């Protein structure tokens, strides 16, 4: 996954060795300090902070970045995949200090919907509450994603179609990457019939991933 030849043609075959704690600008390969990174990020409209869901180190890095960005520009909005769009009024109450943590988790169904241990996210969510920063949900109900994953994008009811918008499933490099995650190598096993069934299943799962990405982008652009 880390060495797939996809992306910018000028960069996709280039590699650098990175040690723990080091930061590099991927467009140039130049090493940079944390403060230099924050200075550059502070000028951007949208910043994506990736994570491994159960890595506390990654969540600590997210918290550090959010706090540093706040120092550069206090007008931050934090979008989170573990909250859904319909949770935004509840999240406003949280940022305004009107809810306890227990009430926030109960009203948003954090654990019922499969959220990881809230402790991973507590530091920067508490920081948002302390500073009155907006926290918004950018996701939709998982039931919609399950519909696509099991039945296909074309089988979505009209209400759900309006919810997810126009979804592009024809980006070849994106599909190559996602299929790698899903185990596309499985396509080489079994007879033709099994391969066709596997392909159909993977295509639906890929469509669900595209819905996921599309909804996130739409939510961000709508803020």
């Amino acid at each position: 996954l880390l060495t797939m030849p996809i992306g910018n043609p000028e960069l996709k075959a280039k590699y650098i060795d990175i040690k723990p704690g080091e930061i590099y600008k991927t467009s140039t390969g130049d090493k940079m300090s944390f403060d230099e990174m924050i200075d550059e990020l502070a000028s951007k409209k949208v910043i994506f902070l990736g994570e491994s869901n159960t890595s506390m180190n990654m969540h600590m890095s997210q918290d550090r970045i959010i706090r540093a960005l706040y120092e550069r520009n206090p007008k931050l909005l934090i979008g989170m995949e573990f909250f859904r769009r319909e949770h935004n009024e509840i999240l406003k109450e949280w940022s305004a200090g009107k809810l306890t943590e227990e009430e926030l988790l109960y009203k948003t169904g954090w654990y019922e919907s499969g959220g990881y241990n809230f402790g991973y996210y507590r530091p920067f969510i508490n920081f948002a509450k302390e500073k009155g920063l907006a926290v918004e949900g950018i996701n939709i109900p998982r039931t919609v994603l399950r519909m696509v994953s099991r039945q296909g994008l074309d089988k979505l009811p009209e209400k759900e179609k309006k919810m997810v918008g126009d979804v592009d499933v024809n980006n070849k490099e994106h599909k190559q990457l996602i299929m790698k995650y899903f185990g596309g190598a499985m396509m080489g096993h079994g007879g033709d019939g099994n391969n066709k069934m596997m392909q159909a299943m993977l295509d639906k799962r890929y469509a669900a991933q595209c819905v996921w990405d599309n909804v996130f982008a739409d939510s961000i652009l709508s803020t």
Side-chain angles (χ1 to χ4, degrees):
L1 282 171
L2 298 178
T3 57
M4 292 179 68
I6 58 177
N8 186 336
E10 297 180 2
L11 301 174
K12 62 184 180 181
K14 294 183 178 180
Y15 304 93
I16 55 176
D17 293 323
I18 300 177
K19 297 177 181 178
E22 293 181 339
I23 302 171
Y24 286 84
K25 186 173 182 177
T26 55
S27 61
T28 63
D30 295 333
K31 189 175 180 180
M32 60 198 315
S33 68
F34 179 82
D35 287 337
E36 289 172 333
M37 178 188 72
I38 294 299
D39 287 338
E40 183 161 336
L41 291 179
S43 66
K44 307 303 180 184
K45 183 178 180 180
V46 178
I47 300 166
F48 295 91
L49 300 181
E51 66 179 65
S52 177
N53 298 128
T54 56
S55 169
M56 195 64 204
N57 283 337
M58 285 192 177
H59 293 297
M60 289 171 66
S61 293
Q62 290 174 334
D63 180 56
R64 185 186 179 196
I65 291 170
I66 288 170
R67 290 170 185 265
L69 288 170
Y70 175 81
E71 292 300 319
R72 305 300 199 279
N73 180 5
K75 294 181 179 180
L76 287 183
L77 184 153
I78 302 172
M80 292 186 62
E81 68 167 303
F82 289 111
F83 293 119
R84 302 195 299 271
R85 289 168 170 177
E86 65 263 32
H87 293 151
N88 286 339
E89 289 303 315
I90 299 170
L91 290 165
K92 285 181 182 178
E93 292 184 64
W94 165 262
S95 292
K98 297 179 180 179
L99 296 178
T100 65
E101 180 179 301
E102 183 178 2
E103 289 171 328
L104 174 68
L105 299 183
Y106 175 75
K107 288 190 173 187
T108 59
W110 177 275
Y111 288 113
E112 286 80 0
S113 60
Y116 291 88
N117 191 310
F118 189 72
Y120 290 122
Y121 303 91
R122 183 179 290 117
F124 65 78
I125 293 182
N126 279 347
F127 179 73
K129 184 177 185 179
E130 174 190 338
K131 301 298 183 181
L133 300 179
V135 179
E136 291 200 1
I138 60 174
N139 214 334
I140 56 173
R142 288 183 178 271
T143 52
V144 178
L145 298 172
R146 284 196 291 269
M147 285 183 196
V148 178
S149 183
R150 294 171 182 174
Q151 303 173 25
L153 190 57
D154 59 333
K155 300 295 184 182
L156 272 183
E158 285 302 315
K159 178 183 177 182
E160 282 72 19
K161 284 182 179 178
K162 290 180 181 179
M163 190 182 296
V164 304
D166 295 326
V167 180
D168 180 11
V169 294
N170 298 307
N171 186 307
K172 292 182 179 179
E173 289 195 340
H174 182 257
K175 189 171 185 178
Q176 181 184 356
L177 173 65
I178 299 303
M179 286 300 189
K180 193 75 171 180
Y181 274 109
F182 288 165
M186 293 169 62
M187 293 299 301
H189 300 282
D192 291 339
N194 286 340
N195 280 346
K196 289 179 182 179
M197 291 177 62
M198 181 65 71
Q199 184 64 62
M201 182 190 74
L202 290 174
D203 284 345
K204 290 173 184 175
R205 290 188 65 188
Y206 175 66
Q209 181 63 51
C210 290
V211 166
W212 182 279
D213 296 342
N214 202 71
V215 167
F216 284 3
D218 180 67
S219 297
I220 292 167
L221 291 172
S222 299
T223 58

